[in-house]
Amino acid sequence: MKFLTNNTINMYIEESLYKKIMETSVIVTVDIIFINKNKEILLWLRNNAPLKNTYYIPWGRIYKYENIIDAAKRESKKELWISLKIEKIKFLWVYDDIYKEDAFFEWMWSHFASRTYIYNLDDNEKVEINDNQHAKIKFFNINDISLHPFIRDRIIDMKRVNYI
């Protein structure tokens, strides 16, 4: 099977159909944890549900027939203006992220199967917001107790496998 490349995908889903998908399915996403040389993680302040007004890691859904690394590259380029170097991408784990509050649609929870990757930024790799879904970006200390519990779970696993 030939996979689509990130240059050939434009997968807009009409809201009524997306509601039906969210109601009946788990949404598969790719999450990327960017780490700088100070071992801080990059988070952005979300403008949209789920996690509106919360600092969280970059993520996006994986399109049908799109391979996972291409999804990670697409999301990074689209939302942060960064071109990922494939040799630097490290797989962490797949997490079940279930949002009971602040879901996309008020009457249902959101459930994502989040394939999470780690990416260590070089000094010359700068990130900036490239969309309207996020208010700002900021690096956080990995021991910051204000981090969302899902992020803290990932940090525990990153330490366990010596990624940080």
Side-chain angles (χ1 to χ4, degrees):
M1 168 179 288
K2 183 177 180 182
F3 289 106
L4 299 174
T5 67
N6 51 0
N7 293 328
T8 61
I9 296 172
N10 185 3
M11 299 279 301
Y12 174 78
I13 300 175
E14 182 180 303
E15 185 174 315
S16 62
L17 176 57
Y18 199 61
K19 281 183 181 179
K20 189 67 172 168
I21 292 168
M22 296 280 297
E23 184 177 51
T24 59
S25 304
V26 176
I27 306 301
V28 181
T29 63
V30 60
D31 296 7
I32 308 154
I33 299 175
F34 291 95
I35 303 171
N36 67 13
K37 68 180 179 181
N38 300 322
K39 299 193 188 269
E40 298 168 315
I41 61 173
L42 178 72
L43 303 177
W44 53 24
L45 185 61
R46 293 186 51 80
N47 288 334
N48 302 331
L51 302 174
K52 185 175 181 172
N53 298 319
T54 302
Y55 277 98
Y56 204 73
I57 55 180
W59 64 275
R61 94 184 137 87
I62 301 169
Y63 298 149
K64 187 169 183 170
Y65 305 120
E66 180 180 35
N67 78 41
I68 295 157
I69 297 302
D70 280 347
K73 290 166 71 176
R74 174 181 50 79
E75 285 296 323
S76 295
K77 188 72 164 177
K78 179 180 86 174
E79 296 179 358
L80 293 170
W81 285 107
I82 188 165
S83 296
L84 298 183
K85 297 173 185 160
I86 193 166
E87 67 275 6
K88 292 175 53 180
I89 300 170
K90 297 184 258 183
F91 175 68
L92 181 61
W93 199 249
V94 178
Y95 297 87
D96 278 301
D97 294 339
I98 300 173
Y99 305 103
K100 299 176 184 176
E101 300 172 9
D102 191 33
F104 281 106
F105 306 109
E106 292 179 18
W107 51 272
M108 79 172 78
W109 295 358
S110 300
H111 183 180
F112 299 92
S114 303
R115 261 188 95 96
T116 303
Y117 292 85
I118 309 301
Y119 190 87
N120 291 88
L121 292 164
D122 295 332
D123 285 341
N124 62 338
E125 292 177 301
K126 305 297 181 205
V127 292
E128 59 183 90
I129 296 176
N130 185 33
D131 67 14
N132 61 359
Q133 296 180 44
H134 309 95
K136 53 185 157 180
I137 56 177
K138 179 179 170 183
F139 282 97
F140 285 80
N141 184 291
I142 59 172
N143 298 312
D144 188 328
I145 59 170
S146 72
L147 297 176
H148 189 279
F150 291 171
I151 295 172
R152 291 197 313 261
D153 289 344
R154 286 163 169 82
I155 289 170
I156 290 168
D157 289 340
M158 289 173 11
K159 289 178 179 178
R160 180 181 50 80
V161 296
N162 296 318
Y163 282 173
I164 51 174

